[in-house]
Amino acid sequence: MPNTVFPGDDPETGPDRTRGGAEPPPPELSGAQRAAISGLLRSIDTIAEELGGRFATAGHELAIVGGPVRDALLGREVHDLDLTTDAVPQRILELVDGWADAVWTVGIDFGTVGLRKGGLQVEITTYRSEAYQPKSRKPEVSYGDSLYGDLARRDFTVNAMAARLPEQGIVDPFGGLADLAAGVLRTPGRPEDSFSDDPLRIMRAVRFAAQLGFTLAPEVKEAAAGMADRLAIVSAERVRDELVKLMLSPDPRTGIELMVELGIAAHVLPEIPRMRLEIDEHHRHKDVYEHSLTVLDQAIDLERQRGMEPDLVLRLAALLHDVGKPKTRAFEDGGRVTFHHHEVVGASMSKSRLGALRFPKDVVADVGTLVSLHLRFHGYGKGEWTDSAVRRYARDAGHLLQRLHVLTRADCTTRNRRKAAALARSYDDIERRIDTLAEEEELNKIRPDLDGNEIQRILGIGPGPLVGKAYRFLLELRLENGPMEKEAVAAELRLWAAEHTP
């Protein structure tokens, strides 16, 4: 069995008593955990033996650290490797020269060298410590000289474990094994110090809760709540990346609820806690916040049922689809509550927030489109829509049509089984009609029956704005009537031109 270092003990300097006395040793590695670590090391035997041997021969330490060790112990698949060493970046480059298939130095300013060997991607980082100055958006990095010191700077104890190479001993100075078994997130030192060093760890805590199903230790929750405003110094891109990982996790609801509970959402997605509309004895209506979380859950369930991969655009749209309600809420006679045009306001708000978080433009646009369209189906009634209305519904959704199907179905959260069943039947009908029209008319390729050259020839005009206007008229004609004979379309075009040409 690999050697295990007990929590609080520095392999180089001996026991640490700065945290209030000796701590009990962590549990022995279980048979399954031993097998997991052995399997991890077997899967990377080339790196474990060859690269570990290279560093050892040169008098340097090397260890697998952080996520790969944690994931192996959890039985999760390990794709890429994070290694740490006492060698400085230039020395790392010398040691991997001629051995790695490819090397890159994008992160070398932060002490990281990337490489590829066979099918594995590896990052090797010099022992280091990071700290943010009070108003800095970037950490100050300094190199360390011990594995213990490097692990001490890690975000959580479950990420502060290492497997030494090539000897394969497990290093666990802060009780990560025990916290892994308990499913608890703790920090190696005081959480206030950890979150001060890198405030993004506050977001990472709620992300791990959603991703791994862990709970936050009480002191971690308290520190996160008290220091949430420190997220303001972190770049929008780094916050966005954590939010993306949270939203694509198996249980994003848990992460969102923690963000709201701890006041983190106020600094990342302030629109979400604002959806917790007060309910009083005179104006009763659904809690928009809880409804939105339920829609998110149901959208994820439908993803799985339909064999879809976790879909960021769909999940963001589910979370934000009613974000415009607080701004549009109005009270009418008889205690009725309305949210007129909240889908339009919500689309604008969604795009503004996601843009501020530096999401790609296509994600911002797609989420905004889904939010703006999420109510469209509710005008369908019992199937009274004409074929032209169905065509427009499919045309307006475009490449987002399947996502719109899922979002619209997920938006039904009524507890009235009869009403829910009726809505489901209606949406079954609209999907069937879209499929039929798509098969007959290739809805995803709808174009006017005449192209620009034909428009110019029939009207006897050259290129210019009138051609574009005529094209849009013919597109509406196509949506209204379906495919038409070209002679009939030409006749309609001439009538339109007679009214619109000076």
Side-chain angles (χ1 to χ4, degrees):
M1 166 184 166
N3 297 323
T4 301
V5 178
F6 295 148
D9 290 350
D10 183 340
E12 283 81 17
T13 63
D16 177 7
R17 298 294 179 260
T18 61
R19 296 196 294 159
E23 300 183 27
E28 293 287 329
L29 285 174
S30 67
Q33 288 173 330
R34 285 198 299 272
I37 291 297
S38 297
L40 170 63
L41 294 170
R42 279 196 306 273
S43 70
I44 58 162
D45 56 354
T46 299
I47 289 176
E49 295 176 13
E50 294 183 10
L51 190 58
R54 277 179 171 243
F55 276 71
T57 300
H60 290 291
E61 299 176 352
L62 188 66
I64 307 172
V65 70
V69 177
R70 178 201 69 220
D71 287 344
L73 290 168
L74 288 173
R76 292 161 56 93
E77 191 172 350
V78 176
H79 297 284
D80 302 324
L81 289 178
D82 295 322
L83 305 182
T84 189
T85 179
D86 60 341
V88 297
Q90 189 57 44
R91 185 63 172 141
I92 296 172
L93 289 172
E94 293 171 1
L95 290 170
V96 302
D97 184 38
W99 179 82
D101 296 332
V103 176
W104 52 92
T105 58
V106 175
I108 200 165
D109 289 343
F110 294 96
T112 299
V113 172
L115 63 89
R116 178 173 50 78
K117 180 67 173 179
L120 280 174
Q121 186 167 307
V122 180
E123 287 191 344
I124 307 176
T125 302
T126 305
Y127 296 155
R128 65 184 183 181
S129 61
E130 296 175 352
Y132 282 76
Q133 294 303 315
K135 295 183 179 180
S136 171
R137 287 181 178 268
K138 294 184 178 179
E140 294 182 358
V141 178
S142 58
Y143 296 140
D145 57 9
S146 75
L147 177 58
Y148 177 88
D150 185 81
L151 295 177
R153 75 167 181 86
R154 301 275 164 172
D155 50 7
F156 303 106
T157 60
V158 296
N159 295 329
M161 296 181 286
R164 289 187 182 274
L165 300 178
E167 62 267 32
Q168 305 181 11
I170 298 298
V171 182
D172 177 28
F174 301 107
L177 279 172
D179 289 339
L180 200 66
V184 175
L185 286 177
R186 300 183 192 277
T187 52
R190 293 188 339 125
E192 293 83 1
D193 295 336
S194 181
F195 295 158
S196 179
D197 285 345
D198 186 354
L200 188 66
R201 291 172 175 175
I202 296 170
M203 273 293 292
R204 202 170 292 148
V206 298
R207 188 254 291 184
F208 279 131
Q211 199 172 51
L212 302 176
F214 283 19
T215 59
L216 275 55
E219 68 274 13
V220 171
K221 291 183 71 173
E222 183 178 354
M227 301 177 68
D229 59 347
R230 286 276 290 161
L231 283 167
I233 73 167
V234 182
S235 69
E237 290 82 359
R238 294 184 73 212
V239 173
R240 173 205 63 207
D241 289 347
E242 286 299 323
L243 181 61
V244 168
K245 292 174 184 176
L246 187 158
M247 292 301 297
L248 294 177
S249 72
D251 183 22
R253 179 185 185 127
T254 291
I256 297 297
E257 287 178 328
L258 272 173
M259 287 177 64
V260 171
E261 176 190 347
L262 302 179
I264 299 168
H267 304 282
V268 179
L269 289 171
E271 296 80 6
I272 301 303
R274 290 174 192 157
M275 290 195 292
R276 293 187 297 180
L277 302 175
E278 70 275 7
I279 299 176
D280 58 46
E281 60 181 336
H282 302 294
H283 303 293
R284 296 188 180 277
H285 54 275
K286 287 182 180 178
D287 182 280
V288 182
Y289 169 69
E290 288 295 333
H291 165 74
S292 298
L293 292 179
T294 300
V295 172
L296 175 60
D297 286 342
Q298 294 185 166
I300 293 171
D301 288 341
L302 286 168
E303 274 182 357
R304 293 168 183 151
Q305 291 172 25
R306 294 185 173 213
M308 299 168 62
E309 293 295 321
D311 190 311
L312 178 64
V313 167
L314 172 61
R315 294 182 180 198
L316 285 171
L319 179 64
L320 299 172
H321 76 285
D322 276 348
V323 77
K325 279 191 171 180
K327 278 193 173 183
T328 58
R329 182 175 58 158
F331 301 116
E332 298 185 349
D333 293 341
R336 185 167 176 262
V337 182
T338 62
F339 304 97
H340 293 309
H341 305 302
H342 76 268
E343 73 281 11
V344 178
V345 174
S348 176
M349 291 173 65
S350 298
K351 290 190 285 188
S352 177
R353 175 56 53 198
L354 297 180
L357 287 169
R358 303 292 192 271
F359 275 86
K361 290 182 180 180
D362 59 334
V363 173
V364 174
D366 286 352
V367 172
T369 298
L370 285 173
V371 172
S372 70
L373 292 176
H374 83 273
L375 282 186
R376 180 78 67 86
F377 160 72
H378 293 284
Y380 189 70
K382 296 181 179 180
E384 296 91 345
W385 278 8
T386 62
D387 283 351
S388 64
V390 175
R391 291 188 195 98
R392 284 189 173 86
Y393 184 79
R395 190 274 307 266
D396 290 347
H399 69 282
L400 299 170
L401 182 59
Q402 295 307 314
R403 287 165 168 152
L404 183 59
H405 289 337
V406 174
L407 176 60
T408 303
R409 288 181 181 277
D411 194 24
C412 175
T413 60
T414 179
R415 295 180 181 178
N416 184 320
R417 292 185 179 180
R418 182 176 297 177
K419 183 177 180 181
L423 285 170
R425 285 195 300 272
S426 292
Y427 209 85
D428 288 343
D429 185 56
I430 195 173
E431 282 202 65
R432 178 190 55 76
R433 291 180 64 186
I434 289 173
D435 289 343
T436 299
L437 287 171
E439 185 176 345
E440 293 174 353
E441 305 178 16
E442 297 188 7
L443 283 183
N444 61 331
K445 298 179 181 178
I446 281 186
R447 299 286 187 276
D449 293 298
L450 301 175
D451 62 24
N453 291 328
E454 291 171 312
I455 291 172
Q456 294 177 59
R457 178 178 56 77
I458 291 169
L459 297 184
I461 60 175
L466 187 61
V467 177
K469 292 178 182 178
Y471 187 91
R472 289 190 288 275
F473 162 72
L474 293 180
L475 178 59
E476 288 300 315
L477 189 69
R478 170 73 170 75
L479 289 167
E480 183 68 32
N481 298 321
M484 298 171 60
E485 295 293 333
K486 285 201 173 186
E487 292 77 5
V489 177
E492 292 287 347
L493 175 62
R494 293 189 184 96
L495 289 173
W496 174 88
E499 296 178 5
H500 292 83
T501 302

